[in-house]
Short mmCIF file of all heavy atoms in Angstrom, two decimals:
data_model
loop_
_atom_site.label_atom_id
_atom_site.label_comp_id
_atom_site.label_asym_id
_atom_site.label_seq_id
_atom_site.Cartn_x
_atom_site.Cartn_y
_atom_site.Cartn_z
N VAL R 287 14.41 49.81 -24.51
CA VAL R 287 14.10 50.94 -23.63
C VAL R 287 12.62 50.93 -23.26
O VAL R 287 12.25 51.17 -22.10
CB VAL R 287 14.47 52.26 -24.33
CG1 VAL R 287 13.95 53.45 -23.55
CG2 VAL R 287 15.99 52.37 -24.48
N ARG R 288 11.76 50.60 -24.21
CA ARG R 288 10.32 50.58 -23.95
C ARG R 288 9.95 49.50 -22.94
O ARG R 288 9.13 49.73 -22.04
CB ARG R 288 9.57 50.36 -25.26
CG ARG R 288 8.05 50.41 -25.11
CD ARG R 288 7.36 50.10 -26.42
NE ARG R 288 7.60 51.10 -27.43
CZ ARG R 288 8.44 50.96 -28.45
NH1 ARG R 288 9.12 49.82 -28.60
NH2 ARG R 288 8.62 51.92 -29.33
N GLU R 289 10.54 48.34 -23.06
CA GLU R 289 10.22 47.24 -22.17
C GLU R 289 10.84 47.40 -20.79
O GLU R 289 10.38 46.79 -19.82
CB GLU R 289 10.69 45.92 -22.78
CG GLU R 289 9.96 45.53 -24.06
CD GLU R 289 8.48 45.27 -23.82
OE1 GLU R 289 8.14 44.78 -22.73
OE2 GLU R 289 7.67 45.57 -24.72
N ALA R 290 11.88 48.23 -20.68
CA ALA R 290 12.59 48.35 -19.40
C ALA R 290 11.69 48.91 -18.31
O ALA R 290 11.73 48.45 -17.16
CB ALA R 290 13.83 49.23 -19.58
N PHE R 291 10.88 49.92 -18.63
CA PHE R 291 10.03 50.57 -17.61
C PHE R 291 8.57 50.58 -18.05
O PHE R 291 7.85 51.56 -17.84
CB PHE R 291 10.51 52.01 -17.36
CG PHE R 291 12.00 52.13 -17.17
CD1 PHE R 291 12.77 52.85 -18.06
CD2 PHE R 291 12.63 51.49 -16.12
CE1 PHE R 291 14.14 52.96 -17.90
CE2 PHE R 291 13.99 51.58 -15.94
CZ PHE R 291 14.75 52.32 -16.84
N LYS R 292 8.15 49.52 -18.69
CA LYS R 292 6.78 49.46 -19.21
C LYS R 292 5.75 49.53 -18.08
O LYS R 292 5.96 48.97 -17.00
CB LYS R 292 6.61 48.17 -20.01
CG LYS R 292 5.32 48.14 -20.83
CD LYS R 292 5.28 46.91 -21.72
CE LYS R 292 4.02 46.90 -22.59
NZ LYS R 292 3.98 45.70 -23.45
N ASN R 293 4.66 50.26 -18.35
CA ASN R 293 3.54 50.45 -17.42
C ASN R 293 3.94 51.21 -16.15
O ASN R 293 3.23 51.12 -15.14
CB ASN R 293 2.92 49.10 -17.04
CG ASN R 293 2.29 48.39 -18.23
OD1 ASN R 293 1.78 49.05 -19.14
ND2 ASN R 293 2.34 47.08 -18.24
N ARG R 294 5.02 51.94 -16.19
CA ARG R 294 5.42 52.78 -15.06
C ARG R 294 5.27 54.24 -15.42
O ARG R 294 5.62 54.65 -16.54
CB ARG R 294 6.87 52.49 -14.68
CG ARG R 294 7.08 51.17 -13.97
CD ARG R 294 8.49 51.06 -13.43
NE ARG R 294 8.83 52.16 -12.54
CZ ARG R 294 10.02 52.29 -11.95
NH1 ARG R 294 10.96 51.39 -12.16
NH2 ARG R 294 10.26 53.32 -11.16
N PRO R 295 4.75 55.07 -14.50
CA PRO R 295 4.68 56.50 -14.79
C PRO R 295 6.09 57.09 -14.96
O PRO R 295 7.05 56.65 -14.30
CB PRO R 295 3.98 57.08 -13.55
CG PRO R 295 3.28 55.92 -12.92
CD PRO R 295 4.12 54.72 -13.22
N VAL R 296 6.19 58.08 -15.83
CA VAL R 296 7.50 58.67 -16.11
C VAL R 296 8.08 59.30 -14.84
O VAL R 296 9.28 59.23 -14.58
CB VAL R 296 7.38 59.72 -17.23
CG1 VAL R 296 8.73 60.36 -17.51
CG2 VAL R 296 6.84 59.07 -18.49
N ARG R 297 7.21 59.90 -14.02
CA ARG R 297 7.67 60.57 -12.80
C ARG R 297 8.28 59.61 -11.79
O ARG R 297 9.05 60.02 -10.92
CB ARG R 297 6.52 61.33 -12.14
CG ARG R 297 6.00 62.52 -12.96
CD ARG R 297 4.76 63.09 -12.34
NE ARG R 297 4.24 64.23 -13.07
CZ ARG R 297 4.50 65.49 -12.78
NH1 ARG R 297 5.26 65.76 -11.74
NH2 ARG R 297 4.01 66.48 -13.50
N SER R 298 7.93 58.34 -11.87
CA SER R 298 8.40 57.38 -10.86
C SER R 298 9.75 56.77 -11.19
O SER R 298 10.32 56.06 -10.37
CB SER R 298 7.37 56.25 -10.71
OG SER R 298 7.32 55.45 -11.89
N ILE R 299 10.30 57.05 -12.37
CA ILE R 299 11.56 56.43 -12.78
C ILE R 299 12.71 57.26 -12.22
O ILE R 299 12.78 58.47 -12.41
CB ILE R 299 11.65 56.35 -14.32
CG1 ILE R 299 10.47 55.53 -14.86
CG2 ILE R 299 12.97 55.72 -14.75
CD1 ILE R 299 10.36 55.54 -16.36
N THR R 300 13.63 56.61 -11.55
CA THR R 300 14.76 57.28 -10.92
C THR R 300 16.06 56.86 -11.58
O THR R 300 16.09 55.95 -12.43
CB THR R 300 14.81 56.95 -9.42
OG1 THR R 300 15.02 55.52 -9.26
CG2 THR R 300 13.50 57.35 -8.74
N TYR R 301 17.14 57.51 -11.14
CA TYR R 301 18.44 57.16 -11.72
C TYR R 301 18.85 55.75 -11.31
O TYR R 301 19.60 55.08 -12.05
CB TYR R 301 19.48 58.19 -11.30
CG TYR R 301 19.94 58.11 -9.87
CD1 TYR R 301 21.01 57.29 -9.50
CD2 TYR R 301 19.30 58.84 -8.87
CE1 TYR R 301 21.43 57.22 -8.18
CE2 TYR R 301 19.71 58.77 -7.56
CZ TYR R 301 20.77 57.96 -7.21
OH TYR R 301 21.18 57.88 -5.91
N GLU R 302 18.39 55.25 -10.14
CA GLU R 302 18.70 53.88 -9.76
C GLU R 302 18.10 52.89 -10.76
O GLU R 302 18.70 51.86 -11.08
CB GLU R 302 18.19 53.58 -8.36
CG GLU R 302 18.92 54.33 -7.25
CD GLU R 302 18.18 55.58 -6.85
OE1 GLU R 302 17.36 56.06 -7.67
OE2 GLU R 302 18.42 56.09 -5.74
N ASP R 303 16.89 53.20 -11.25
CA ASP R 303 16.25 52.32 -12.23
C ASP R 303 17.04 52.30 -13.54
O ASP R 303 17.22 51.24 -14.15
CB ASP R 303 14.82 52.79 -12.49
CG ASP R 303 13.96 52.77 -11.24
OD1 ASP R 303 14.15 51.86 -10.42
OD2 ASP R 303 13.11 53.67 -11.08
N VAL R 304 17.51 53.46 -13.98
CA VAL R 304 18.28 53.51 -15.22
C VAL R 304 19.60 52.78 -15.05
O VAL R 304 20.06 52.08 -15.97
CB VAL R 304 18.51 54.98 -15.63
CG1 VAL R 304 19.30 55.05 -16.93
CG2 VAL R 304 17.18 55.72 -15.79
N TRP R 305 20.21 52.92 -13.89
CA TRP R 305 21.47 52.23 -13.63
C TRP R 305 21.27 50.71 -13.67
O TRP R 305 22.08 49.97 -14.25
CB TRP R 305 22.04 52.67 -12.28
CG TRP R 305 23.50 52.37 -12.11
CD1 TRP R 305 24.24 51.46 -12.79
CD2 TRP R 305 24.39 53.01 -11.20
NE1 TRP R 305 25.55 51.48 -12.37
CE2 TRP R 305 25.68 52.42 -11.39
CE3 TRP R 305 24.26 54.00 -10.24
CZ2 TRP R 305 26.78 52.81 -10.67
CZ3 TRP R 305 25.37 54.39 -9.51
CH2 TRP R 305 26.62 53.81 -9.72
N ALA R 306 20.19 50.23 -13.04
CA ALA R 306 19.92 48.79 -13.06
C ALA R 306 19.64 48.30 -14.48
O ALA R 306 20.06 47.19 -14.86
CB ALA R 306 18.72 48.50 -12.15
N PHE R 307 18.96 49.11 -15.27
CA PHE R 307 18.71 48.75 -16.67
C PHE R 307 20.02 48.66 -17.45
O PHE R 307 20.22 47.74 -18.25
CB PHE R 307 17.78 49.80 -17.28
CG PHE R 307 17.62 49.69 -18.77
CD1 PHE R 307 17.26 48.49 -19.37
CD2 PHE R 307 17.82 50.80 -19.58
CE1 PHE R 307 17.12 48.40 -20.75
CE2 PHE R 307 17.68 50.72 -20.95
CZ PHE R 307 17.33 49.51 -21.53
N HIS R 308 20.93 49.58 -17.19
CA HIS R 308 22.23 49.55 -17.87
C HIS R 308 23.02 48.30 -17.48
O HIS R 308 23.67 47.67 -18.34
CB HIS R 308 23.00 50.82 -17.51
CG HIS R 308 24.31 50.96 -18.22
ND1 HIS R 308 25.52 50.75 -17.60
CD2 HIS R 308 24.60 51.28 -19.50
CE1 HIS R 308 26.50 50.94 -18.47
NE2 HIS R 308 25.98 51.27 -19.63
N LYS R 309 22.96 47.93 -16.22
CA LYS R 309 23.68 46.73 -15.78
C LYS R 309 23.09 45.46 -16.39
O LYS R 309 23.82 44.50 -16.64
CB LYS R 309 23.63 46.63 -14.25
CG LYS R 309 24.52 47.63 -13.53
CD LYS R 309 24.44 47.42 -12.02
CE LYS R 309 25.37 48.38 -11.29
NZ LYS R 309 25.30 48.20 -9.81
N SER R 310 21.79 45.45 -16.63
CA SER R 310 21.16 44.26 -17.19
C SER R 310 21.61 43.99 -18.63
O SER R 310 21.41 42.89 -19.13
CB SER R 310 19.63 44.41 -17.15
OG SER R 310 19.19 45.44 -18.02
N LEU R 311 22.20 44.99 -19.28
CA LEU R 311 22.68 44.82 -20.65
C LEU R 311 24.19 44.73 -20.70
O LEU R 311 24.82 45.16 -21.67
CB LEU R 311 22.20 46.01 -21.51
CG LEU R 311 20.69 46.21 -21.62
CD1 LEU R 311 20.38 47.47 -22.41
CD2 LEU R 311 20.02 45.01 -22.28
N SER R 312 24.80 44.18 -19.66
CA SER R 312 26.26 44.12 -19.59
C SER R 312 26.86 43.24 -20.68
O SER R 312 28.03 43.39 -21.04
CB SER R 312 26.69 43.61 -18.22
OG SER R 312 26.14 42.32 -17.97
N ASP R 313 26.06 42.31 -21.23
CA ASP R 313 26.58 41.46 -22.30
C ASP R 313 26.53 42.15 -23.66
O ASP R 313 27.06 41.64 -24.65
CB ASP R 313 25.78 40.15 -22.37
CG ASP R 313 24.29 40.40 -22.55
OD1 ASP R 313 23.81 41.47 -22.12
OD2 ASP R 313 23.60 39.53 -23.11
N ARG R 314 25.86 43.31 -23.72
CA ARG R 314 25.80 44.11 -24.95
C ARG R 314 26.22 45.54 -24.61
O ARG R 314 25.37 46.42 -24.50
CB ARG R 314 24.38 44.08 -25.53
CG ARG R 314 23.95 42.71 -26.04
CD ARG R 314 22.49 42.67 -26.36
NE ARG R 314 21.67 42.48 -25.18
CZ ARG R 314 20.35 42.39 -25.19
NH1 ARG R 314 19.70 42.46 -26.33
NH2 ARG R 314 19.68 42.22 -24.07
N LYS R 315 27.49 45.72 -24.42
CA LYS R 315 27.99 46.97 -23.86
C LYS R 315 27.67 48.17 -24.74
O LYS R 315 27.24 49.22 -24.25
CB LYS R 315 29.50 46.86 -23.63
CG LYS R 315 29.89 45.86 -22.54
CD LYS R 315 31.37 45.82 -22.34
CE LYS R 315 31.75 44.97 -21.13
NZ LYS R 315 31.22 43.61 -21.20
N ARG R 316 27.88 48.06 -26.03
CA ARG R 316 27.62 49.20 -26.90
C ARG R 316 26.13 49.56 -26.91
O ARG R 316 25.76 50.72 -26.80
CB ARG R 316 28.10 48.90 -28.32
CG ARG R 316 27.76 50.02 -29.31
CD ARG R 316 28.36 49.78 -30.67
NE ARG R 316 27.89 50.75 -31.63
CZ ARG R 316 28.32 52.01 -31.71
NH1 ARG R 316 29.25 52.44 -30.88
NH2 ARG R 316 27.83 52.83 -32.62
N GLN R 317 25.29 48.54 -27.02
CA GLN R 317 23.85 48.80 -27.04
C GLN R 317 23.37 49.33 -25.69
O GLN R 317 22.46 50.14 -25.63
CB GLN R 317 23.09 47.53 -27.41
CG GLN R 317 21.62 47.80 -27.74
CD GLN R 317 20.97 46.62 -28.40
OE1 GLN R 317 21.26 45.47 -28.06
NE2 GLN R 317 20.08 46.87 -29.35
N ALA R 318 24.00 48.88 -24.61
CA ALA R 318 23.64 49.40 -23.29
C ALA R 318 23.91 50.90 -23.20
O ALA R 318 23.09 51.67 -22.69
CB ALA R 318 24.43 48.66 -22.21
N ASN R 319 25.04 51.34 -23.73
CA ASN R 319 25.36 52.77 -23.72
C ASN R 319 24.40 53.56 -24.60
O ASN R 319 23.98 54.67 -24.25
CB ASN R 319 26.80 52.98 -24.18
CG ASN R 319 27.82 52.39 -23.23
OD1 ASN R 319 27.51 52.14 -22.06
ND2 ASN R 319 29.01 52.14 -23.71
N VAL R 320 24.03 52.98 -25.75
CA VAL R 320 23.10 53.65 -26.65
C VAL R 320 21.73 53.79 -25.98
O VAL R 320 21.08 54.84 -26.08
CB VAL R 320 22.98 52.87 -27.97
CG1 VAL R 320 21.85 53.44 -28.84
CG2 VAL R 320 24.29 52.94 -28.74
N CYS R 321 21.28 52.76 -25.27
CA CYS R 321 19.98 52.81 -24.60
C CYS R 321 19.94 53.90 -23.53
O CYS R 321 18.94 54.61 -23.39
CB CYS R 321 19.67 51.45 -23.98
SG CYS R 321 19.26 50.15 -25.17
N VAL R 322 21.02 54.05 -22.78
CA VAL R 322 21.05 55.09 -21.75
C VAL R 322 21.01 56.48 -22.39
O VAL R 322 20.33 57.39 -21.90
CB VAL R 322 22.30 54.92 -20.87
CG1 VAL R 322 22.46 56.10 -19.93
CG2 VAL R 322 22.20 53.64 -20.06
N GLN R 323 21.72 56.66 -23.50
CA GLN R 323 21.69 57.96 -24.18
C GLN R 323 20.30 58.26 -24.74
O GLN R 323 19.85 59.40 -24.74
CB GLN R 323 22.73 57.98 -25.30
CG GLN R 323 24.17 57.98 -24.81
CD GLN R 323 24.46 59.13 -23.86
OE1 GLN R 323 24.07 60.27 -24.10
NE2 GLN R 323 25.13 58.83 -22.76
N LEU R 324 19.60 57.23 -25.23
CA LEU R 324 18.23 57.43 -25.70
C LEU R 324 17.32 57.81 -24.53
O LEU R 324 16.44 58.68 -24.68
CB LEU R 324 17.72 56.15 -26.38
CG LEU R 324 18.30 55.84 -27.76
CD1 LEU R 324 17.84 54.47 -28.22
CD2 LEU R 324 17.90 56.90 -28.77
N CYS R 325 17.51 57.18 -23.38
CA CYS R 325 16.73 57.55 -22.19
C CYS R 325 16.97 59.02 -21.83
O CYS R 325 16.03 59.73 -21.45
CB CYS R 325 17.09 56.66 -21.01
SG CYS R 325 16.52 54.95 -21.13
N LYS R 326 18.20 59.47 -21.95
CA LYS R 326 18.52 60.86 -21.63
C LYS R 326 17.75 61.82 -22.52
O LYS R 326 17.19 62.81 -22.06
CB LYS R 326 20.02 61.08 -21.77
CG LYS R 326 20.47 62.50 -21.45
CD LYS R 326 21.96 62.64 -21.53
CE LYS R 326 22.39 64.08 -21.19
NZ LYS R 326 23.87 64.22 -21.24
N VAL R 327 17.71 61.53 -23.82
CA VAL R 327 17.00 62.40 -24.76
C VAL R 327 15.49 62.37 -24.48
O VAL R 327 14.82 63.40 -24.54
CB VAL R 327 17.30 61.98 -26.21
CG1 VAL R 327 16.54 62.86 -27.19
CG2 VAL R 327 18.79 62.07 -26.49
N ILE R 328 14.95 61.20 -24.16
CA ILE R 328 13.51 61.09 -23.89
C ILE R 328 13.15 61.86 -22.63
O ILE R 328 12.15 62.60 -22.60
CB ILE R 328 13.11 59.61 -23.77
CG1 ILE R 328 13.29 58.91 -25.12
CG2 ILE R 328 11.66 59.47 -23.29
CD1 ILE R 328 13.08 57.40 -25.07
N PHE R 329 13.93 61.72 -21.56
CA PHE R 329 13.67 62.49 -20.33
C PHE R 329 13.78 63.99 -20.59
O PHE R 329 13.01 64.78 -20.03
CB PHE R 329 14.65 62.07 -19.24
CG PHE R 329 14.28 60.79 -18.54
CD1 PHE R 329 15.15 59.71 -18.54
CD2 PHE R 329 13.07 60.67 -17.88
CE1 PHE R 329 14.82 58.53 -17.89
CE2 PHE R 329 12.73 59.49 -17.24
CZ PHE R 329 13.60 58.43 -17.24
N LYS R 330 14.72 64.39 -21.42
CA LYS R 330 14.89 65.81 -21.73
C LYS R 330 13.66 66.36 -22.42
O LYS R 330 13.20 67.47 -22.12
CB LYS R 330 16.13 66.00 -22.59
CG LYS R 330 16.45 67.45 -22.91
CD LYS R 330 17.73 67.55 -23.72
CE LYS R 330 18.04 69.02 -24.04
NZ LYS R 330 19.29 69.13 -24.85
#
């Protein structure tokens, strides 16, 4: 999760970026879902 949007302001991250990050982990489906849920808690 840290490396996915490194050096980017939090305000600039959109749902398209999170979706692309989720797709990049298609070979690790369970971990991809966990990473998105962690992003949700961090944004909250």
Side-chain angles (χ1 to χ4, degrees):
V287 171
R288 184 184 294 104
E289 294 296 327
F291 313 117
K292 192 174 182 180
N293 296 328
R294 286 189 56 181
V296 179
R297 293 172 179 264
S298 68
I299 301 173
T300 62
Y301 74 88
E302 292 96 340
D303 299 324
V304 181
W305 198 339
F307 170 52
H308 184 255
K309 287 182 178 180
S310 66
L311 300 176
S312 59
D313 56 333
R314 293 170 279 181
K315 293 181 172 56
R316 176 174 173 77
Q317 192 167 37
N319 295 340
V320 171
C321 288
V322 172
Q323 291 304 315
L324 287 173
C325 289
K326 180 177 181 178
V327 178
I328 294 173
F329 280 121
K330 183 178 180 180

